[in-house]
Amino acid sequence: MRILAAMSGGVDSAVAAARAVDAGHEVVGVHLALSRAGGTLRAGSRGCCTIEDAMDARRAADKLGMPFYVWDFSERFRDDVIDDFVAEYRAGRTPNPCMRCNEKIKFAALLERAVELGFDAVCTGHYATLVDGPDGLELHRASDSAKDQSYVLGVLTAEQLAHTYFPLGDTPSKALVRAEAAERGLTVAQKPDSHDICFIPDGDTRGWLAERVGAEQGEILDRSGAVIGRHDGAHAFTVGQRKGLQLGVPAADGKPRFVLEVRPVSNTVVVGPKEALATAEIAGERHSWAGRAPAQTAFACDVQIRAHSDPVPARATVADGWVTVVPDEPFDGVAPGQTAVLYDGTRVLGQFTIARTVSAVPAIV
């Protein structure tokens, strides 16, 4: 095949490209410039897509003897990822920018250009597995459960999966990938993994959002509606948050309180006990299927609501454009804007963006 290898400058994408070359494919490397003002140096494991990362990707491509290009996707990234991130927080939701980047950039904009240029597939260093199933190609979890990235790939459609290549999916551990990189003489063998949000490399999400959303003081309420504190902007809070609440009134039971709800219209934040985070139902209408849609409108599945959370057995129902999920045991701290990915065993069925939640604990009236 003719393969376009997306090279971030990290060890995973470099080894993935190397394996594609070893498999006999015609491979071309590409690094995506996602910022017009990318920093020249990383801050340890924070951030990605810097000039340093582009140089690391080029050195890896040179070592592997493949052509290499840098493509400017900064405008598309700003519109589809950064602006979306700000808009979601402004609306009181908690978005996943990595999910949106996979959906809109790596497996939409990049894949579309790759196909236009005659490539058969885009290769990435994601830890996930593709399996030929009875109804077509299926997306499954990686062999290494600790590195499994099938959750953030849950937005991919059947058409996109047909043009993807994940060489690392059956690798037992990340340590083996680093060892392989060292054996190949790749200088990124011990490079730290990227963490945090790539376009907020200093990790100060609250400060970054305050500059773009604006800081406006508002009230912090308990579940009865009583004012127990003030804040400098509802955008700085997310469901399940415990730290940084600065409450002026202690809880009657002396236990810590958590953010239960963010109300952007009134610029208020509702807090309460940890048990009130229990969620009995979630639903969303922006959904997609990673292959053929389920044959039944109601079916059993496992649901994962965060990249590194455990899957929860549940029952899903599809009706009137919405997907509704009722877990066997309540979810813990679900925020609108998060992505719910549905699994059948190790197979990804599809995903939806959570728009509505139902608490398992009755409200105080």
Side-chain angles (χ1 to χ4, degrees):
M1 295 191 295
R2 292 194 71 220
I3 289 182
L4 186 67
M7 304 183 71
S8 66
V11 62
D12 292 326
S13 60
V15 172
R19 291 185 180 182
V21 172
D22 288 352
H25 301 300
E26 178 187 346
V27 186
V28 174
V30 63
H31 178 80
L32 302 185
L34 301 180
S35 171
R36 292 287 178 89
T40 56
L41 295 176
R42 291 159 54 96
S45 61
R46 292 188 182 274
C48 68
C49 314
T50 63
I51 295 174
E52 178 186 351
D53 292 316
M55 294 172 61
D56 286 340
R58 179 177 294 279
R59 280 190 286 266
D62 289 345
K63 183 69 175 180
L64 298 171
M66 66 172 67
F68 177 81
Y69 300 92
V70 175
W71 288 354
D72 182 1
F73 275 33
S74 58
E75 185 173 342
R76 181 78 179 259
F77 185 78
R78 180 199 63 206
D79 293 344
D80 290 341
V81 180
I82 299 178
D83 289 353
D84 174 82
F85 183 82
V86 174
E88 288 291 281
Y89 264 100
R90 185 176 283 121
R93 295 186 288 266
T94 303
N96 185 322
C98 295
M99 212 89 176
R100 199 66 64 236
C101 184
N102 282 335
E103 177 186 9
K104 300 292 187 178
I105 306 299
K106 294 176 183 175
F107 297 98
L110 176 61
L111 183 55
E112 288 166 7
R113 183 178 295 185
V115 172
E116 289 174 357
L117 294 174
F119 289 93
D120 300 300
V122 166
C123 167
T124 72
H126 286 99
Y127 288 78
T129 306
L130 294 175
V131 176
D132 284 319
D135 297 316
L137 208 57
E138 299 175 353
L139 176 63
H140 284 253
R141 293 189 184 275
S143 297
D144 181 4
S145 59
K147 292 297 296 180
D148 173 57
Q149 292 175 297
S150 60
Y151 172 86
V152 295
L153 298 171
V155 291
L156 301 190
T157 64
E159 177 63 22
Q160 291 169 330
L161 290 175
H163 295 284
T164 58
Y165 186 50
F166 302 131
L168 303 187
D170 59 356
T171 307
S173 73
K174 177 64 174 277
L176 293 176
V177 172
R178 290 195 181 279
E180 180 178 334
E183 291 174 1
R184 293 177 180 274
L186 298 173
T187 59
V188 293
Q190 298 305 319
K191 185 175 181 178
D193 292 338
S194 294
H195 298 294
D196 297 314
I197 300 170
C198 69
F199 51 87
I200 311 178
D202 64 0
D204 183 15
T205 302
R206 178 179 293 195
W208 189 91
L209 282 168
E211 294 178 0
R212 290 154 179 83
V213 177
E216 180 182 354
Q217 282 201 345
E219 297 174 338
I220 300 178
L221 313 176
D222 65 15
R223 299 185 79 211
S224 70
V227 178
I228 58 174
R230 298 191 64 81
H231 62 76
D232 293 324
H235 65 271
F237 299 85
T238 187
V239 172
Q241 179 178 333
R242 172 185 173 183
K243 296 181 179 180
L245 300 184
Q246 298 179 340
L247 302 178
V249 180
D253 59 7
K255 294 182 180 179
R257 283 171 289 195
F258 299 76
V259 174
L260 304 180
E261 188 180 352
V262 177
R263 299 172 179 171
V265 175
S266 59
N267 192 33
T268 54
V269 176
V270 180
V271 301
K274 182 175 177 58
E275 53 267 26
L277 287 170
T279 303
E281 179 180 302
I282 58 176
E285 57 182 341
R286 193 169 74 182
H287 67 274
S288 63
W289 304 110
R292 187 171 63 87
Q296 306 296 324
T297 56
F299 53 92
C301 60
D302 292 328
V303 181
Q304 190 169 328
I305 58 173
R306 297 181 184 86
H308 302 295
S309 64
D310 293 328
V312 176
R315 188 159 187 82
T317 303
V318 184
D320 300 323
W322 282 73
V323 180
T324 301
V325 168
V326 177
D328 292 358
E329 297 291 337
F331 294 114
D332 182 24
V334 182
Q338 287 180 244
T339 301
V341 176
L342 281 56
Y343 289 82
D344 179 8
T346 63
R347 180 190 174 188
V348 175
L349 297 176
Q351 61 81 37
F352 65 89
T353 301
I354 299 169
R356 184 179 69 233
T357 65
V358 177
S359 176
V361 179
I364 299 174
V365 294

